[in-house]
């Protein structure tokens, strides 16, 4: 029955996280809160699907559904509307792991980085970890030789993705955070919605 402010639930599998969120959302709607102003967000597609189904069962059929999705799907929705502030087109492509590998191999070739010494997947993995920690190419301060190699590849990799109007899976969250940090008016808009 907590209504004011966000609620974060951290618990193990099968402990009732989805059920708790589902009932909270249904309760909020029953208290007159507009479903359009509610955001239910979770990690997996399975959990998001279950949440939607359970909310639908708890609500009257004519009641509008709130926005429910995964972190990535919600960020994708935001990026489709807002990414132009970062210089991308809204018709961007999302690169899968094979696409990413192709780009990094090409870049490593251009930078004369030997793929036998530095495996392309290892370079991509390090870039992914940096992105997950919200460390952008300009902010990365490499300490060791491998990190220096990654730093060069990271700058070029992001530049190439942008040239191709492409994002990788990590960018869905990272670029949304970047927009919110660099464009507070966009953040404020979404804070006003949800």
């Amino acid at each position: 029955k907590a209504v004011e402010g966000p609620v974060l639930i951290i618990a193990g599998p099968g402990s009732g996280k989805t059920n708790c969120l589902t009932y909270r959302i249904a309760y909020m709607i029953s208290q007159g809160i507009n479903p359009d102003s509610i955001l239910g967000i979770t990690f997996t597609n399975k959990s998001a699907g279950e949440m939607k189904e359970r909310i639908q069962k708890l609500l009257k059929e004519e009641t509008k559904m709130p926005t429910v999705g995964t972190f990535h799907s919600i960020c994708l929705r935001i990026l489709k509307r807002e990414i132009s502030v970062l210089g991308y087109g809204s018709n961007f492509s999302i690169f899968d792991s094979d696409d990413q590998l192709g780009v990094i191999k090409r870049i490593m070739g251009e930078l004369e980085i030997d793929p036998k010494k530095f495996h392309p997947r290892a370079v991509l993995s390090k870039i992914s970890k940096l992105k997950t920690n919200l460390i952008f190419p300009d902010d990365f301060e490499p300490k060791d030789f491998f990190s220096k190699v990654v730093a060069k590849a990271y700058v070029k990799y992001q530049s190439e993705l942008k040239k191709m109007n492409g994002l990788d899976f990590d960018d869905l969250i990272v670029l949304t955070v970047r927009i919110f940090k660099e464009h507070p008016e966009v953040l404020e808009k979404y804070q006003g919605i949800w």
Side-chain angles (χ1 to χ4, degrees), residues 34-39 67 81 187-194:
N34 183 344
D36 287 335
S37 68
I38 297 172
L39 172 63
T67 301
R81 294 183 190 132
L187 173 61
E188 193 174 308
K189 174 174 131 180
Y190 286 94
Q191 287 172 327
I193 294 171
W194 295 310

Side-chain angles (χ1 to χ4, degrees), residues 8 18 28 36 54-55 79 85 129 150 158 161 177:
L8 175 66
T18 302
M28 291 168 76
D36 287 335
R54 293 177 192 181
I55 292 168
L79 288 174
V85 298
K129 285 179 184 161
V150 170
Q158 281 306 113
L161 287 181
V177 170

Side-chain angles (χ1 to χ4, degrees), residues 6-191:
V7 171
L8 175 66
I9 298 174
I10 302 172
S15 59
K17 295 181 297 294
T18 302
N19 209 33
C20 183
L21 288 171
T22 300
Y23 274 87
R24 178 178 190 235
I25 290 169
Y27 177 76
M28 291 168 76
I29 293 169
S30 77
Q31 297 300 299
I33 294 173
N34 183 344
D36 287 335
S37 68
I38 297 172
L39 172 63
I41 195 163
T42 186
F43 285 101
T44 67
N45 287 322
K46 180 182 178 199
S47 181
E50 286 176 10
M51 202 182 302
K52 286 178 189 174
E53 284 177 28
R54 293 177 192 181
I55 292 168
Q56 193 95 52
K57 285 179 185 173
L58 291 169
L59 298 175
K60 297 175 193 158
E61 286 188 30
E62 67 274 2
T63 304
K64 190 170 185 203
M65 281 290 290
T67 301
V68 175
T70 63
F71 285 95
H72 289 92
S73 69
I74 299 299
C75 287
L76 175 61
R77 189 179 303 187
I78 293 167
L79 288 174
K80 289 281 184 191
R81 294 183 190 132
E82 310 296 343
I83 200 165
S84 62
V85 298
L86 296 179
Y88 290 81
S90 61
N91 61 338
F92 57 84
S93 300
I94 300 172
F95 284 39
D96 66 19
S97 56
D98 290 338
D99 296 330
Q100 291 174 260
L101 194 57
V103 172
I104 204 72
K105 283 179 178 178
R106 183 170 45 80
I107 287 167
M108 288 174 67
E110 291 170 9
L111 295 173
E112 298 179 358
I113 299 169
D114 186 352
K116 290 178 182 157
K117 288 183 182 174
F118 305 100
H119 198 282
R121 288 190 193 280
V123 174
L124 269 177
S125 176
K126 180 68 175 175
I127 290 171
S128 178
K129 285 179 184 161
L130 290 167
K131 287 183 178 191
T132 300
N133 289 310
L134 301 175
I135 300 171
F136 299 101
D138 297 341
D139 304 326
F140 181 43
E141 297 175 12
K143 304 285 189 240
D144 57 52
F145 189 72
F146 177 66
S147 294
K148 289 176 183 175
V149 169
V150 170
K152 286 197 302 189
Y154 188 12
V155 169
K156 184 93 170 139
Y157 175 74
Q158 281 306 113
S159 173
E160 286 300 305
L161 287 181
K162 191 169 185 177
K163 275 186 204 170
M164 295 183 281
N165 201 37
L167 311 180
D168 63 23
F169 200 61
D170 294 319
D171 286 331
L172 295 177
I173 292 177
V174 170
L175 293 182
T176 303
V177 170
R178 187 173 206 164
I179 289 171
F180 287 166
K181 282 184 174 183
E182 294 177 4
H183 300 274
E185 72 284 358
V186 177
L187 173 61
E188 193 174 308
K189 174 174 131 180
Y190 286 94
Q191 287 172 327

